[in-house]
Amino acid sequence: MSSRSPIARVEALLVSVPAEGNAFAEGNEETVVVRVTDEDGRYGIGECITTPPVTKAMIDMPTVNFWSQGISDLLVGRDPLEARALYDLVYHGSFFHGRRGTLIQALSGVDIAVHDLAGKQLGEPVYKLLGGARCERLRPYATLYPGDIYDRPVAEVAAPIREQADIARDQGLRAFKVPVLFGPEVPDRDVVEFARLSRDMVGDDVVLALDFGYRWWDWHDAAWTLKRIEDFDVHFAEAPLRHDDLDGHRRLVDVSPVRVGGAEFAAGRWEVREWLERGGVSLVQPGVSRAGGFTELMRIGEMCEMYGAQLIPHSYATGITDTASLHLQAACLTVPMVEFRSSRLGPSRLRTELVSPPEPEIVDGWVELPTGPGLGIDLNEDLVAAHAMT
Ligand code: MG
């Protein structure tokens, strides 16, 4: 039986756990869980991939003036079913200090939590609140991590790629991304060889993408490599050039036989539009917990349709973001797959313990549409209480 009530509280819960072998964290791994509670005590959750203390300040800050209001101040007393209107309320109410960057990252987690709460109040999954399913099943891709490869010879890295691909395949995944994070000492011709090895290691029957991690500053050099990896059936080349070099991207896109991805760190639809118009990319990769939550990612997805571009959201966080990405894919025509952080490919307590279930079942590369109310996951309140960051 569904029932509705207004928002009573908006909190940023800062969680920090010992990293214990997580290669992407130093000392501790941290995240920001946003909890939006209604007057009946129900709550929705979201996540921000950003700097925890700054996010908390954006949510908790007292209102300074008409254009500089705290997120909590703006949302308490409001109806969570009006999520899209609430996004715009916060965007315009924080115009003085916000608009881009950290404010959008904070608003991302808030928007996800508001949608989760609304779905729980109605007893419906979030993707239905976003307008309904545009596909019958969902496709996560796994980011493999063959260890720190910065200055290692490419031949040495082949075995760990195969190991990771086997684990991901065993979990049911059929789409992989391999990070190509070599330092400048490793020449581009070795990078081409690495791409060939990557295809050999993962097999011919899977989707393969390569993440170049902002390797080049000169688009000519990037083009030299992308032309030589064409035959390895690479779905996209992520982050070949520096993030803000939109004119360089345009020149690279004009000659690259491989789809070029960008906008991984863009905040909001206005920035993403620059990538599509000026940068000319046909793939954008802003994440749901960084670039504006469901509200803004749906707008970005619809904009992509008009540019013939794909939206494949970035996600390297906890089950909250991965689950949110799957709901987005369900509702958005231009999302062919979503990044997914498999707990089996690298140790992370946040990935395995923060929410339950931590991961959906994946069969032959596909995930069924979620059925539970809201996001369909539960927060581990004990973990959050035991590892609160102060
Ligand atoms: Mg990335």
Side-chain angles (χ1 to χ4, degrees), residues 67-197:
W67 277 345
S68 198
Q69 305 187 57
I71 294 177
S72 178
D73 272 1
L74 284 162
L75 296 189
V76 168
R78 304 278 178 171
D79 181 350
L81 257 66
E82 299 188 16
R84 190 167 170 146
L86 298 183
Y87 182 100
D88 290 343
L89 184 75
V90 172
Y91 183 84
H92 292 287
S94 59
F95 208 69
F96 191 67
H97 62 279
R99 294 175 43 251
R100 304 283 167 101
T102 322
L103 184 277
I104 298 293
Q105 292 157 10
L107 182 49
S108 301
V110 170
D111 184 83
I112 295 167
V114 168
H115 277 88
D116 185 30
L117 176 59
K120 283 177 172 149
Q121 289 191 358
L122 293 180
E124 296 288 349
V126 165
Y127 76 83
K128 291 203 178 194
L129 274 61
L130 299 175
R134 309 297 298 272
C135 53
E136 289 178 2
R137 49 193 189 157
L138 311 169
R139 189 164 183 78
Y141 82 78
T143 298
L144 308 183
Y145 184 69
D148 183 3
I149 62 174
Y150 192 77
D151 51 11
R152 288 168 69 187
V154 297
E156 251 182 41
V157 188
I161 295 174
R162 169 165 280 170
E163 226 167 81
Q164 292 256 305
D166 287 347
I167 295 168
R169 187 183 284 273
D170 185 57
Q171 192 179 356
L173 288 147
R174 295 291 182 271
F176 307 146
K177 182 173 78 187
V178 177
V180 189
L181 305 179
F182 294 103
E185 301 301 312
V186 175
D188 287 348
R189 62 177 176 278
D190 288 8
V191 168
V192 173
E193 172 61 8
F194 182 73
R196 190 189 64 75
L197 272 173

Side-chain angles (χ1 to χ4, degrees), residues 141 143 177 211 213-214 238-239 264-265 285 314-316 339:
Y141 82 78
T143 298
K177 182 173 78 187
D211 180 356
Y214 309 101
E238 176 171 328
E264 160 178 61
F265 294 135
Q285 300 175 273
H314 163 95
S315 172
Y316 205 84
E339 186 168 11

Side-chain angles (χ1 to χ4, degrees), residues 212-233:
F212 290 98
Y214 309 101
R215 176 176 174 83
W216 296 284
W217 64 269
D218 182 333
W219 67 270
H220 293 89
D221 293 337
W224 188 92
T225 299
L226 296 193
K227 283 178 180 173
R228 284 162 179 79
I229 66 169
E230 181 181 12
D231 292 343
F232 310 140
D233 191 15

Side-chain angles (χ1 to χ4, degrees), residues 9 11-18 29-37 43-47 56 318-320 349-356 377-390:
R9 196 162 62 246
E11 302 161 278
L13 309 173
L14 276 42
V15 190
S16 176
V17 301
E29 52 172 337
E30 299 164 351
T31 197
V32 181
V33 177
V34 176
R35 179 163 59 189
V36 176
T37 307
Y43 65 81
I45 54 171
E47 180 175 30
K56 186 169 169 55
T318 75
I320 300 174
R349 282 190 69 190
L350 287 181
R351 188 65 187 79
T352 49
E353 295 178 36
L354 185 65
V355 294
S356 59
I377 50 175
D378 293 315
L379 184 65
N380 180 346
E381 295 177 15
D382 293 338
L383 183 85
V384 171
H387 295 281
M389 197 172 144
T390 49

